[in-house]
């Protein structure tokens, strides 16, 4: 057990190995509370994102380019939820019991999921930009095939980047930190790679997202003013106004998702540049878990703002999706 013993003896992750790391001490109550909390958080994250995945996959009316990107984001968030227990064990036990190979695999997967999430948000921003700012070009520019190809490329590029990032980090670690104890799982990154990762994994995509959304909300504001002026002048503006309203509402909802993502990730990336010598390991651990918690926020945002999600969840939980032809149901009926 990882909790504190009565004689306060020093505990090691691997007592039989001389180079073993020292295991941190926790009280039995702290130990049990942390395991329950992180288990519930993981289960909740997986469950919510699984509802999104089933909804978009099952109902054919939801097979739109925008929803395919949301599906990709939900898959990444669900996988984060599945990986939470692994990181929770490392945090609670203060030891890594799964070997160096699984440590590398764990870091590649978590890096992949974080990178893919930000890529998906860039794709969301591009999709909403074209839909709101160039609505006549949207059907030809943003097609299902192009969206699927873009999603696949984002997963492939994220995988390649994170494998290279890990190899570089392991090489630097072996040459600079040969005294690392056995039973730990972290990566020491060289100074240039820290800023390269900051640029490509955060600054560049976030700049693109912010620029696109500023343009989206500017154009949406102009459209609202134009419609209001036409209504006041007594002209008929019903044709096309409903779709524009729907596009603006979708942009606003996805904008909230992007904002929540940035609020969770900006502190981590800013403080990670300062290094562990400036900030405590407890602070970094808190920020990392803030990134994980973000994966459970997106489905809650869908539930608050997307009526189609509420309807689809109701059909999933009542098992109506098992009925014949349920996938053909128009869940957009009476949906704005």
């Amino acid at each position: 057990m990882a909790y504190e013993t009565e004689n306060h003896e020093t505990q090691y992750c691997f007592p039989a190995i001389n180079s073993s790391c020292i295991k941190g001490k926790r009280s039995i109550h702290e130990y049990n509370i942390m395991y329950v909390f992180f288990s519930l958080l993981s289960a909740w994250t997986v469950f919510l994102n699984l509802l999104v995945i089933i909804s978009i996959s099952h109902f054919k009316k939801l097979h739109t380019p925008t929803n395919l990107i949301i599906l990709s984001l939900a898959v990444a968030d669900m996988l984060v939820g599945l990986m939470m227990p692994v990181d929770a064990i490392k945090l609670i036990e203060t030891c890594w019991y799964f070997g160096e190979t699984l440590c590398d695999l764990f870091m590649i997967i978590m890096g992949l999921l974080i990178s893919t999430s930000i890529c998906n948000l860039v794709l969301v921003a591009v999709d909403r930009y074209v839909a709101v700012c160039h609505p006549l070009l949207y059907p030809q520019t943003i097609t299902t095939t192009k969206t699927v190809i873009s999603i696949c490329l984002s997963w492939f590029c994220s995988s390649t980047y994170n494998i290279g990032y890990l190899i570089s980090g392991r090489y630097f670690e072996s040459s600079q930190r040969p005294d690392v104890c056995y039973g730990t799982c972290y990566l020491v990154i060289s100074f240039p790679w820290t800023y390269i990762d900051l640029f490509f994994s955060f600054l560049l995509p976030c700049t693109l997202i912010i620029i696109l959304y500023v343009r989206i909300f500017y154009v949406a504001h102009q459209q609202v003013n134009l419609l209001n002026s036409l209504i006041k002048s007594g002209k008929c503006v019903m044709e096309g106004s409903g779709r524009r309203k729907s596009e603006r509402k979708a942009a606003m909802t996805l904008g909230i998702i992007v904002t929540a993502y940035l609020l969770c990730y900006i502190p981590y990336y800013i403080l990670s540049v300062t290094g562990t010598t400036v900030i405590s390991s407890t602070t970094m651990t808190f920020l990392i878990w803030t990134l994980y918690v973000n994966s459970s926020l997106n489905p809650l945002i869908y539930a608050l703002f997307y009526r189609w999600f509420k309807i689809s969840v109701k059909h999933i939980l009542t098992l109506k999706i098992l009925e014949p032809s349920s996938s053909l149901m128009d869940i957009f009926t009476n949906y704005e």
Side-chain angles (χ1 to χ4, degrees), residues 301-316:
I301 297 173
Y302 302 146
L304 289 174
F305 295 96
Y306 280 148
R307 188 167 180 267
W308 63 256
F309 183 63
K310 298 176 185 177
I311 295 174
S312 62
V313 168
K314 181 179 179 180
H315 281 74
I316 292 171

Side-chain angles (χ1 to χ4, degrees), residues 26 34 38 86-95 285 289:
R26 302 186 186 279
M34 291 180 71
F38 288 118
V86 179
D87 209 9
I89 292 173
K90 183 180 72 170
L91 172 63
I92 299 170
E93 301 286 352
T94 68
C95 294
T285 299
W289 277 92

Side-chain angles (χ1 to χ4, degrees), residues 144-207:
T144 301
T145 301
K146 291 179 181 179
T147 302
V148 171
I149 293 174
S150 299
I151 292 172
C152 292
L153 284 176
S154 69
W155 281 85
F156 174 77
C157 292
S158 296
S159 301
T160 304
Y161 173 80
N162 281 282
I163 291 173
Y165 184 77
L166 177 69
I167 293 174
S168 174
R170 283 301 185 204
Y171 174 78
F172 177 79
E173 181 179 301
S174 62
S175 61
Q176 301 293 326
R177 295 288 301 276
D179 57 338
V180 175
C181 61
Y182 191 78
T184 187
C185 179
Y186 65 92
L187 198 60
V188 180
I189 302 298
S190 63
F191 181 81
W193 258 106
T194 300
Y195 287 90
I196 291 173
D197 182 60
L198 177 67
F199 178 76
F200 284 105
S201 297
F202 186 72
L203 291 180
L204 179 60
C206 286
T207 301

Side-chain angles (χ1 to χ4, degrees), residues 36-232:
V36 171
F37 172 77
F38 288 118
S39 297
L40 292 176
L41 178 61
S42 173
W44 182 247
T45 303
V46 171
F47 174 72
L48 289 179
N49 284 286
L50 190 59
L51 290 177
V52 178
I53 294 170
I54 295 174
S55 297
I56 297 176
S57 300
H58 180 75
F59 296 104
K60 295 187 181 300
K61 288 288 184 179
L62 296 179
H63 294 179
T64 64
T66 305
N67 287 340
L68 289 179
I69 303 173
I70 293 177
L71 175 63
S72 176
L73 184 61
V75 170
D77 288 339
M78 186 189 71
L79 292 176
V80 169
L82 290 174
M83 297 300 293
M84 280 183 188
V86 179
D87 209 9
I89 292 173
K90 183 180 72 170
L91 172 63
I92 299 170
E93 301 286 352
T94 68
C95 294
W96 179 263
Y97 292 117
F98 309 112
E100 186 174 333
T101 301
L102 288 181
C103 174
D104 291 343
L105 183 61
F106 170 76
M107 287 193 289
I108 288 175
I109 293 175
M110 294 308 298
L112 164 65
L113 298 178
I114 292 174
S115 299
T116 303
S117 294
I118 192 69
C119 288
N120 285 329
L121 293 180
V122 172
L123 294 178
V124 165
V126 172
D127 175 87
R128 290 300 88 200
Y129 171 78
V130 177
V132 174
C133 301
H134 305 283
L136 297 180
L137 298 177
Y138 184 82
Q140 294 78 29
T141 305
I142 309 296
T143 64
T144 301
T145 301
K146 291 179 181 179
T147 302
V148 171
I149 293 174
S150 299
I151 292 172
C152 292
L153 284 176
S154 69
W155 281 85
F156 174 77
C157 292
S158 296
S159 301
T160 304
Y161 173 80
N162 281 282
I163 291 173
Y165 184 77
L166 177 69
I167 293 174
S168 174
R170 283 301 185 204
Y171 174 78
F172 177 79
E173 181 179 301
S174 62
S175 61
Q176 301 293 326
R177 295 288 301 276
D179 57 338
V180 175
C181 61
Y182 191 78
T184 187
C185 179
Y186 65 92
L187 198 60
V188 180
I189 302 298
S190 63
F191 181 81
W193 258 106
T194 300
Y195 287 90
I196 291 173
D197 182 60
L198 177 67
F199 178 76
F200 284 105
S201 297
F202 186 72
L203 291 180
L204 179 60
C206 286
T207 301
L208 291 174
I209 290 171
I210 292 172
I211 291 174
L212 290 172
Y213 268 97
V214 167
R215 180 62 179 169
I216 288 170
F217 291 126
Y218 173 75
V219 172
H221 180 69
Q222 284 187 321
Q223 290 177 352
V224 171
N225 290 339
L226 177 61
L227 289 174
N228 289 337
S229 63
L230 291 174
I231 291 173
K232 289 180 181 179

Side-chain angles (χ1 to χ4, degrees), residues 314-334:
K314 181 179 179 180
H315 281 74
I316 292 171
L317 297 181
T318 57
L319 300 181
K320 289 185 178 180
I321 61 171
L322 300 179
E323 297 177 359
S325 303
S326 62
S327 63
L328 302 177
M329 187 188 74
D330 185 5
I331 64 173
F332 287 98
T333 304
N334 298 323

